[in-house]
Amino acid sequence: MTTVACQQLEPRVGDLAGNRELALSAIDAARGADVIVLPELVTSGYVFESREECLAASLAPDDLAEWGAAAGGAIVVGGFAERADDGLVYNSAAMVDASGVLGVYRKLHLWDQEKLFFEPGRELPRVHDTPHGRLATMICYDLEFPELVRMVALEGCELLCVPTNWPRTPRPPGEHPGEVINAMAMARANRMFVAACDRSGIERGVEWTAGTSIVDVDGWVVSETRAELDVARARDKRFAGLADAFGDRRPELYAAIVEASVKTTSAR
Amino acid sequence: MTTVACQQLEPRVGDLAGNRELALSAIDAARGADVIVLPELVTSGYVFESREECLAASLAPDDLAEWGAAAGGAIVVGGFAERADDGLVYNSAAMVDASGVLGVYRKLHLWDQEKLFFEPGRELPRVHDTPHGRLATMICYDLEFPELVRMVALEGCELLCVPTNWPRTPRPPGEHPGEVINAMAMARANRMFVAACDRSGIERGVEWTAGTSIVDVDGWVVSETRAELDVARARDKRFAGLADAFGDRRPELYAAIVEASVKTTSAR
């Protein structure tokens, strides 16, 4: 069994020292968990006003090795503004354990004004085979692209860790946030666990959804904070006796998805 | 504006005459709607016990032309067991108006024991440019394959008509059926309207969800029966100022989805 803890936090934009303490305290408070997920851009805050401000709040991946040291035997996944060797800044997430940084994923789909401050990633998320399951990372808006989620599931991901900053939008009474509904559907369609860790608070006028959700392979939210998951369940893709989420795919027909998208893009 | 009516019905397995009356009455009762959606296999019922029984309950597409005659100026989309020229039976849906049968779609993803009775389709859903919007059809379990939904959206579908028979499964209190959550997420991710018409009742021990839902481009259920939709909203794929459901895709990376799926399939 894998214990997953999502630590929903309220970082402050540009406050590197304060956010560092916030993340380390949250990691400490999650002791006993096997996998700890932190929000997107937890080290930097989100609502930047200039590229300079974003750059000033950026870190190198090695700066996050201390997350792993603080986590005991746990794996930590959390978001940061990544200052890359090429001088560009990416909206990234690191996967870290006591041995150091296991991997860095750079967000492929930049939401709205993020395009003004960050460089988009160029590589697909990797699936990491860990003692606590096969884990992959994507960030916030990435999860709204079912093609990407499917690819990661097909590569064997059992638990998808999703640092997010979901800006609050209106929803009908009694409904989950739309982003949570999407996370539920993505978990269900791929029979894969999803742990989405959101942030809280209001930053420069942007209110956050605080919609953290841990979703099981049937697509139900099992906790908003911490859950014990049998991640091996994600290896069985059967919906029913003769129905299988992967086996029933028609990849020979989906080939057209790439051509279709190119056509539509050029017609825009 | 397009008025869509979903006529959730309770057909009886094998009762061709009774189901014919049921569908025609429902079409008549929906008068004033522009698009009328009926359940999957509304002419035949669902829980077959043999291929012979399924064949005996099958129809040729032309048998459904009467739906269009009964519908006045409306377009009708509904499911039937299709007896094809090659002697095989498909789980199909016809799109019909007063001029006759506009198109027949054969379900690509057969659920569970459907595999024992039906031949799977071999062609992608077509998008029909109609006076009431750009419409496409898929059937029930098809909607659980986000690749297919995305392709239809990329081809310009504004209103996806989905005849379904959703078998009832347990869900936590207060939650939509999982299939509805999926429909909501698919509408939202593609900024496309979805009208899913389910069936009701219990047939040979199978209880149905009766989860009919009309979903708007933001992913919210706007009605379980009838709604007036501004289908042109589906042409604007923007989520926010600089965020666009189609424009933000990374098709150059999704190319790997086909290779990934082939790899996984052969590794099973």
Side-chain angles (χ1 to χ4, degrees):
Chain A
M1 299 293 281
T2 297
T3 300
V4 180
C6 288
Q7 299 293 76
Q8 182 172 284
L9 301 172
E10 184 179 346
R12 290 174 186 223
V13 67
D15 182 5
L16 277 170
N19 296 337
R20 177 179 176 229
E21 285 310 310
L22 187 70
L24 289 171
S25 299
I27 290 166
D28 190 59
R31 279 288 172 121
D34 301 306
V35 178
I36 301 167
V37 188
L38 305 175
E40 179 182 11
L41 294 175
V42 68
T43 60
S44 63
Y46 183 95
V47 188
F48 297 111
E49 290 175 339
S50 69
R51 291 181 76 94
E52 292 67 33
E53 188 185 38
C54 180
L55 179 64
S58 64
L59 296 172
D62 283 347
D63 294 334
L64 306 177
E66 63 183 8
W67 286 355
I75 294 169
V76 181
V77 177
F80 69 113
E82 181 193 1
R83 189 175 57 246
D85 293 340
D86 54 12
L88 297 169
V89 182
Y90 295 87
N91 182 340
S92 297
M95 187 179 294
V96 183
D97 73 3
S99 73
V101 177
L102 302 173
V104 172
Y105 165 73
R106 294 170 171 175
K107 191 174 185 178
L108 287 172
H109 304 89
L110 295 175
W111 170 258
D112 200 11
Q113 303 219 358
E114 291 172 31
K115 295 178 171 75
L116 307 180
F117 306 116
F118 296 102
E119 187 73 10
R122 287 179 290 268
E123 287 179 28
L124 295 170
R126 258 185 60 206
V127 179
H128 295 261
D129 207 346
T130 81
H132 304 301
R134 292 172 60 88
L135 312 183
T137 302
M138 53 185 69
I139 302 173
C140 201
Y141 187 40
D142 283 328
L143 195 65
E144 319 257 336
F145 293 83
E147 304 92 328
L148 184 67
V149 183
R150 180 69 101 190
M151 290 175 68
V152 167
L154 287 167
E155 292 290 341
C157 178
E158 294 162 357
L159 169 60
L160 182 59
C161 302
V162 191
T164 72
N165 282 187
W166 286 331
R168 197 177 185 89
T169 52
R171 60 182 191 262
E175 296 286 6
H176 293 285
E179 294 87 348
V180 173
I181 289 171
N182 177 65
M184 294 167 76
M186 290 299 98
R188 182 176 186 277
N190 293 291
R191 298 199 64 74
M192 173 174 69
F193 294 93
V194 175
C197 185
D198 198 8
R199 63 161 291 172
S200 59
I202 301 178
E203 191 181 87
R204 289 180 173 166
V206 175
E207 188 178 353
W208 305 98
T209 299
T212 297
S213 301
I214 301 174
V215 187
D216 72 10
V217 296
D218 295 317
W220 305 119
V221 176
V222 291
S223 173
E224 294 175 355
T225 51
R226 191 178 177 109
E228 209 178 340
L229 307 177
D230 178 6
V231 292
R233 286 185 64 208
R235 292 178 202 164
D236 180 359
K237 299 303 180 187
R238 273 176 305 175
F239 287 118
L242 299 178
D244 186 295
F246 284 4
D248 290 337
R249 296 178 71 245
R250 303 289 302 270
E252 76 283 9
L253 294 170
Y254 308 149
I257 197 169
V258 180
E259 295 148 37
S261 56
V262 170
K263 189 174 80 186
T264 303
T265 304
S266 59
R268 284 169 60 85
Chain B
M1 299 294 281
T2 297
T3 299
V4 180
C6 288
Q7 299 293 74
Q8 182 172 284
L9 301 172
E10 184 178 347
R12 291 177 185 222
V13 66
D15 182 5
L16 277 170
N19 295 337
R20 178 180 177 227
E21 285 311 311
L22 187 70
L24 289 171
S25 298
I27 291 166
D28 191 58
R31 277 289 171 121
D34 301 305
V35 178
I36 301 167
V37 188
L38 305 176
E40 180 182 9
L41 294 175
V42 68
T43 59
S44 63
Y46 183 95
V47 188
F48 296 112
E49 290 175 340
S50 69
R51 291 182 76 96
E52 293 67 32
E53 188 185 38
C54 180
L55 179 65
S58 64
L59 296 172
D62 283 347
D63 294 333
L64 306 177
E66 63 183 8
W67 286 355
I75 294 170
V76 182
V77 177
F80 69 113
E82 180 194 1
R83 189 175 56 246
D85 292 339
D86 54 13
L88 298 169
V89 182
Y90 295 87
N91 182 339
S92 297
M95 187 179 295
V96 183
D97 72 3
S99 72
V101 177
L102 302 174
V104 172
Y105 165 73
R106 295 170 171 176
K107 191 174 185 176
L108 287 172
H109 305 88
L110 296 174
W111 170 257
D112 200 10
Q113 303 220 356
E114 291 171 32
K115 294 179 172 75
L116 307 180
F117 305 117
F118 296 103
E119 187 74 8
R122 287 178 289 268
E123 286 178 30
L124 294 170
R126 257 185 60 207
V127 179
H128 295 261
D129 207 346
T130 81
H132 304 301
R134 292 172 61 88
L135 312 184
T137 302
M138 53 186 69
I139 303 173
C140 201
Y141 187 40
D142 283 328
L143 195 64
E144 319 258 337
F145 293 82
E147 304 92 327
L148 185 67
V149 182
R150 179 68 100 189
M151 290 176 67
V152 167
L154 287 167
E155 291 289 343
C157 178
E158 294 163 357
L159 170 61
L160 182 60
C161 301
V162 190
T164 72
N165 282 186
W166 287 330
R168 197 177 184 88
T169 52
R171 61 183 190 262
E175 296 286 6
H176 293 286
E179 294 87 348
V180 174
I181 289 172
N182 177 64
M184 295 166 77
M186 290 298 98
R188 183 176 187 277
N190 293 290
R191 298 199 64 74
M192 173 174 70
F193 293 93
V194 175
C197 185
D198 198 8
R199 63 162 291 172
S200 59
I202 301 179
E203 191 182 87
R204 290 180 173 166
V206 176
E207 189 179 353
W208 305 98
T209 299
T212 298
S213 300
I214 302 173
V215 187
D216 72 9
V217 296
D218 296 317
W220 305 120
V221 176
V222 291
S223 173
E224 294 176 355
T225 51
R226 191 178 177 108
E228 211 179 339
L229 307 177
D230 178 6
V231 292
R233 286 185 64 207
R235 291 178 204 164
D236 181 359
K237 300 303 181 186
R238 273 176 304 176
F239 287 117
L242 298 179
D244 186 295
F246 284 4
D248 290 337
R249 296 179 71 244
R250 303 289 302 271
E252 76 282 10
L253 293 171
Y254 308 149
I257 198 169
V258 179
E259 296 149 37
S261 56
V262 170
K263 188 174 79 184
T264 304
T265 304
S266 59
R268 284 169 61 84

